[in-house]
Amino acid sequence: MLLGPPGSGKGTQTERLVAEFGFTKISTGDLLREAVRNGTELGVKAKSFMDAGKLVPDDLVIGLIKEKLKGLKGGVLLDGFPRSLEQAQALDQFFEVELAVDLEVDQEVLIKRLTERRSCRVCNAVFHLEFNRPKKEGVCDKCGGELYQRSDDTEKVVRERFNTYTERTAPLTEFYRKKGVLKSVDGMGPIDDVYGRIAAVIKAA
Ligand code: AMP
């Protein structure tokens, strides 16, 4: 799993790790946004929490993950789950975590990464107006889909997401450190450099 604050590079690195290691990706953020777009019962319940930069209630997200993990074979990469101790404890009941990579990035860098991020409406690929520009403005390099700014990537919501991270998610590093599966990785600098550090940690595990 990839831990780390919003904007630390979990989504970007997940795309590449999936392509090169063949993991199955499970991103609760992508799944929840899809539910909101489709207006499902889950989406309707989740929307107000997401718009406010808060966590969607644990029981909803745990149910979603359980459903997605059912019958999956091979390596799985969790992006954005777990995000609370309750979720981590629930996950322990049905999934063995082999490695938790914690991406460490300075807060000013995180704000810039998030507020200038653009995401693909179709395949969820992520770009950045300066650090990871799409070849054609507004168009996804990977699938040709439309790029948009997530409604929670505005500065006001981003600040609330940081508060939520500090209160609810940061304690998970200690949880996984105690289990002996935590590796902290420097998430600053070019995407390729961060990828190299993560890949090395995975290969060594
Ligand atoms: P992300 O795309 O990972 O930044 O997630 C976007 C938003 O979806 C978060 O700010 C939360 O509101 C919600 N979300 C994603 N994953 C979780 C989770 N594991 N638990 C609770 N809420 C989540």
Side-chain angles (χ1 to χ4, degrees), residues 6 10 27-30 32-33 46 49-51 53-58 61 79-84 87 117 150 152 161:
K10 299 186 296 293
S27 157
T28 40
D30 286 350
L32 290 168
R33 277 185 290 279
F49 297 97
M50 296 172 77
D51 286 346
K54 306 267 188 220
L55 293 188
V56 173
D58 287 328
V61 184
D79 161 18
F81 182 93
R83 257 182 160 97
S84 67
Q87 292 178 16
R117 170 161 77 177
R150 275 171 47 176
D152 61 350
R161 288 163 66 197

Side-chain angles (χ1 to χ4, degrees), residues 23-136:
F23 298 128
T24 300
K25 160 180 113 161
I26 300 186
S27 157
T28 40
D30 286 350
L31 292 169
L32 290 168
R33 277 185 290 279
E34 187 185 320
V36 170
R37 260 198 306 271
N38 294 337
T40 65
E41 199 184 328
L42 171 67
V44 170
K45 287 184 184 153
K47 188 174 184 320
S48 59
F49 297 97
M50 296 172 77
D51 286 346
K54 306 267 188 220
L55 293 188
V56 173
D58 287 328
D59 56 331
L60 296 179
V61 184
I62 292 165
L64 179 67
I65 280 279
K66 259 192 182 158
E67 189 57 40
K68 286 284 160 189
L69 284 174
K70 223 184 265 169
L72 269 189
K73 299 222 162 41
V76 172
L77 181 58
L78 297 177
D79 161 18
F81 182 93
R83 257 182 160 97
S84 67
L85 276 176
E86 293 77 3
Q87 292 178 16
Q89 282 156 354
L91 184 66
D92 259 0
Q93 307 303 310
F94 54 86
F95 187 81
E96 190 202 345
V97 177
E98 289 176 34
L99 180 64
V101 174
D102 185 35
L103 291 173
E104 297 181 320
V105 178
D106 293 348
Q107 173 128 358
E108 316 82 78
V109 174
L110 294 173
I111 293 180
K112 184 164 170 62
R113 282 188 184 177
L114 288 167
T115 53
E116 294 178 23
R117 170 161 77 177
R118 296 295 179 268
S119 309
C120 176
R121 279 195 200 280
V122 180
C123 75
N124 299 309
V126 277
F127 297 86
H128 189 275
L129 296 180
E130 187 179 332
F131 308 132
N132 183 20
R133 294 170 64 87
K135 290 194 183 83
K136 190 169 169 216

